[in-house]
Amino acid sequence: METPEPPLDLPGTTTATGPADMPEGLATPIQGGSLARRTSQKRQSLTGLKFLNELLDDHDHDHDSDPTNVTSPLSPKAEQEAVPLSFQDDLAFEQVGDRISEFQEDEFVKQALAKGMDLREYAHHIESELDIVGQDHEDDYVHQSQAFVDLHGQIKSCDEILETMENLLSIFQTDLGNISTEIQTLQTKSVSMSIQLKNRMAVENHLNELLEGILVTPQLIRKIYDGEVDDTWLAALGDLNSKMYHAKARQGRHIRALKEVGPELERLRIKTVEKIREFLLVKIKSFRIPNTNVQIMQHSVLLKYKELNQFVMERHSEVATEIRQTYANTLRWYFSNQFENYATGLEKLQSVVGDKHEMLCTDENARKGLFGTTKALHQKTNVFAVGSRLDTLKNQDAGLILIHVANEKNLKYPYEALFRSFNLALIDNASSEYLFLVEYFSKRSQPDIDGIQAVFSQIFEPTLKLGLANVKEYADSSFDAIGILLCLRINHQLAKELERRRIPMLDKYGDAIHMALWPRFQIIVDMHIESVRKAKTKIKPKNVHPHWIARRYGEFASSLLMLNDEQTDVMPRLALLRLETSSLFEIMSKTFSDTKSRLIFLINTYDLVLTLLADVRTSGVEAETDHWKQALHQSIALFVEEELKPYFGELISFIRMVEIAGGVSKVQLDHFERASYGFSNTWRQSLLSINTSVIQHFSSFKNGTLVLHQVLGQLIVYYTRFHSLLDEKLQELGGLSAGQAGGGNGQNTAMATTTRGWSHQPVGIQTVMVEVKKFRSNFLP
C-alpha cells in the first residue's frame, strides 16, 4: 500500500468556516444552499468511489486466489466477476458497465485518476471531509436558528397578509361579478330602450307628417279667404295643395282626423278655385285693352302665377276648361284683330305689279295712251328681272316692315316683301304662343299635346285663314312669276325655320300656301310660253340690234335660275320656254331680206341673252348657257362666211373650185394669177370695210371683238390655203422645188411667179397677218 497523498483541491470544495464567518440575515441560507450543492456532489462522488472500492476489494481477493488472473479491475470482465452478491440483487448485470462509465465521467473521479491516486484512500478522504462538512452544517444551522425563527415569523406574517388580501380579492371578484351582471342587465335595457326610441321616433315622424299634412291653421284659412292674390297668397296656395295631396294619399286609412279635416279642405278648395278663376279671368280679359303687349302680360302675370292654373287643372276641371276657353277666345280675337290691321296696312304699301298684259312678248308701246306712258307704268315693278328683289330672300336677318315708318317715308314694297313680313310676324307670334301654351297649360305629370294643339288651332284659325286668303287673292290676280317664285322660296325658308324651332303647328299652313302659289306660277310661265308662240306671227324686228324680247327673256331666265339654287322645280318649264324663244328668234331673223342681217340679228340677240345669264352662278345655269352658246357659235360661223363673201368671194370660190376639181393639176396657172391679182388689189380696202361693218352692226365690244377675230382669222385660213395650192401648182410645173414650197414668207413664190411672167407678185402671208393685227385691237375694252 502506498502512502496516501494530501487531499486534492477539487473544484467546488470549500473549507469549513466557523459561525463568525457566516453572513447575517437571510443571506446565510442562500450561501448554505450553495454549500449543500457542493456537498451533494461530493456525496455522489463518494458513492461512486465506494462502489469502486468494493470492486477493487473483490479484485484483490480474486487476485490472491488466482495469481494468473491479471485482468484489469476496470475491464468489463472484471466488472462482471467482481460485482458482490448484494449488488447483483439490486442492479442488473447489464447496468454495471453503465455505472462504471458514468463514474468515469465524474469530474472528481477523472481528477483522481489523472493524478494516479488510490480510489479507496480517496474515498475514505472524501468521506471524512463530508463528515466535517456535515458537522459544520449542523453548527451553522444551530447558529442560524434564530434567523430561521424570525424568517418563519415573517413568512407567517406574510401568509396572514396574503390571506387577508386573498379575502379582499375574493370579495372584490364577487363584487366585479355582480357589477358585470348589472352591466349586462343595463346593456339589455339600453338596447330595448334604443329600439323603443327608434320606434317612437318613427311614429313621431309619421305623426308629424300626418299632422303637418292635414292640419289647417287659422292663418291659412284667413289668407285664402281674405288675402289678395300675390306672392304670399301663392305660398299659402302651395301649402293648401300640399295638405290636399297628403289627405288624398291617406284617404283609405280610416284616420279620424282626416274625416274631420276633409270638409274644411273641401271648403278651402272651392274658395281657392273661386278666387283663382276671378283673378285669371280678369287678367286674361285685360288683353283686349288696346295697345296691350300680350307677350309681356303672359310672362309677367300668367307664367308668374302659373301655379294658380295648375291648381285649377288638378282640383276643378270645369273651371280649368272655362279659363282655357276664355284665354283661347281672347287670344283668337287679339291675333285676328292685330294681323288683320297689319295686313290692311301692308296692302297699302304694295307697289304696282304687272297685269295680264305683262307677258314676255307683249309690247308695252302698244299699251301707251294718247299722251304716252302713264304714271302707273313708271311705278310698276319689273316682272322679268329679279334685281334687288332678291335681297328679300337673301337677307334673312331683315326685320318686319313697320307700317307707320313706311307711311312717313312714303315707301312701297313688292308683294314678296309684304308676304315675308306678314308671315314672319305670324310664325314669331305663333312660336311664342305655342311655347307659352306648352308651359302654361301642361300638367305637372306630362304635357297635354292634343289639348294644346286644339287650343293653338282655335287661337290662330282666323289668322291663318286671313294669311291664306291674302295669298290666294294675290295669286289669283298676279301675273308676276318672279314675285310668286320669291314667295315660294320665302315660304320654304320659313318652313325650315319652324322646323328648327320644333313648331309643328304651322306645317299645314305652309303646305296650303305652297299649293296656292305653285300652280299659279306654272300658269303664269305657261302664259309667257303662249305669248312667245303667238309672237311668232306678229312681231317683226325693226333692225339688227338685240330685240327687247331677248332682254326680257334673258332677265326672266336668269331670275328663275337665281331662284332655283337649291331646287329644280322650275327647270322643265324653263327648258320649254327656252325652246320656244329660240324658235321665235329664228323666225324673227327670217324677216330680214339678206342672210347677213339675219345672222347679225341672231348674234346680237344670242349675245345679249348670254350677257344677262353671265352673272348667274346656280347649278342649273349650264344647260341654259350651253344652248345659247352653241346657237351663237353657229351663227358667228355662218356670219364669217357671209362677211368675207363680198370682199374675198372670188378667192374663196377659187379655192373651193380647186378642191372640187380634185387638185391643182386640173387648174391652169392663169386662174391662180387672176385670183392673186384680185386679192392684191383690194385686200387692204376690204379689211377696212370689214372692220367698219362690224363696228356698225355689233354694238357690244366683247361680241364685236369676237366676231372680228373670227372673220379675220378665217381670212388668214383661206389665204394660207391659197398659197398652199399655189405652191403646189408651181411645184408641179417645176417652178419650185419641194424644199422651197411652203416657206410661208412668199419670197420663193414671188420669184417663181415672176419667172412665169406674172405681172405682179402675190401678197405674202406674213404681210397679211401684220395688217390683220392692226384691226384686232379695235374692240378691246
Side-chain angles (χ1 to χ4, degrees), residues 35-54:
L35 179 62
R37 285 194 297 271
R38 289 194 294 271
T39 304
S40 176
Q41 292 176 358
K42 287 185 177 182
R43 290 185 181 276
Q44 291 177 0
S45 300
L46 180 60
T47 303
L49 290 175
K50 287 181 177 181
F51 176 72
L52 292 178
N53 288 335
E54 292 177 359

Side-chain angles (χ1 to χ4, degrees), residues 10-78:
L10 296 175
T13 60
T14 57
T15 304
T17 58
D21 297 330
M22 295 294 291
E24 297 180 358
L26 296 177
T28 302
I30 297 175
Q31 293 179 359
S34 176
L35 179 62
R37 285 194 297 271
R38 289 194 294 271
T39 304
S40 176
Q41 292 176 358
K42 287 185 177 182
R43 290 185 181 276
Q44 291 177 0
S45 300
L46 180 60
T47 303
L49 290 175
K50 287 181 177 181
F51 176 72
L52 292 178
N53 288 335
E54 292 177 359
L55 288 179
L56 291 175
D57 291 339
D58 292 341
H59 175 268
D60 292 339
H61 181 271
D62 291 339
H63 186 279
D64 293 336
S65 61
D66 189 2
T68 61
N69 189 359
V70 293
T71 304
S72 171
L74 299 178
S75 64
K77 184 176 180 181

Side-chain angles (χ1 to χ4, degrees), residues 47 80 95 125 128 155 170 180-181 202 228 241 274 297 328 346 354 362 372 398-399 406 565 729 744 758:
T47 303
Q80 295 176 2
Q95 298 178 351
H125 177 70
S128 60
I155 292 173
S170 297
S180 176
T181 303
E228 295 293 333
N241 197 29
E274 179 183 349
M297 291 291 293
L346 290 177
T362 301
D565 192 10
K729 184 63 178 180
W758 282 24

Side-chain angles (χ1 to χ4, degrees), residues 672 676-677 679-680 719 722-723 726 730 745-747 749-751 753-754 758 760-765 767:
F672 282 95
S676 176
Y677 182 77
F679 180 84
S680 300
Y719 195 64
F722 173 76
H723 265 269
L726 178 59
L730 293 174
N745 53 12
Q747 295 180 358
T749 304
M751 293 175 59
T753 54
T754 302
W758 282 24
H760 71 286
Q761 293 183 354
V763 180
I765 298 176
T767 302

Side-chain angles (χ1 to χ4, degrees), residues 211-319:
L211 292 177
E212 290 178 0
I214 64 176
L215 180 62
V216 180
T217 62
Q219 294 82 1
L220 177 62
I221 297 174
R222 285 195 297 270
K223 187 63 180 179
I224 294 296
Y225 273 83
D226 302 331
E228 295 293 333
V229 178
D230 53 12
D231 293 341
T232 58
W233 197 92
L234 193 63
L237 175 66
D239 189 14
L240 175 61
N241 197 29
S242 176
K243 296 181 185 301
M244 297 181 70
Y245 271 120
H246 284 285
K248 185 177 181 180
R250 294 165 176 79
Q251 190 171 3
R253 297 187 181 182
H254 304 289
I255 301 175
R256 183 177 179 180
L258 289 178
K259 295 180 181 180
E260 295 178 355
V261 80
E264 188 64 31
L265 289 176
E266 180 63 19
R267 286 190 291 271
L268 284 174
R269 181 185 71 87
I270 295 174
K271 183 60 179 180
T272 302
V273 170
E274 179 183 349
K275 296 198 70 171
I276 291 175
R277 174 185 177 276
E278 180 182 358
F279 176 81
L280 291 181
L281 291 181
V282 170
K283 295 300 181 182
I284 291 173
K285 290 179 181 179
S286 66
F287 292 173
R288 295 178 178 268
I289 300 175
N291 301 323
T292 299
N293 192 318
V294 172
Q295 282 75 21
I296 294 178
M297 291 291 293
Q298 286 174 342
H299 288 81
S300 63
V301 178
L302 296 185
L303 288 181
K304 179 181 179 181
Y305 297 102
K306 175 183 175 182
E307 292 300 324
L308 303 181
N309 190 51
Q310 290 289 328
F311 183 87
V312 173
M313 288 190 296
E314 295 173 356
R315 305 300 177 187
H316 206 297
S317 58
E318 293 81 3
V319 174

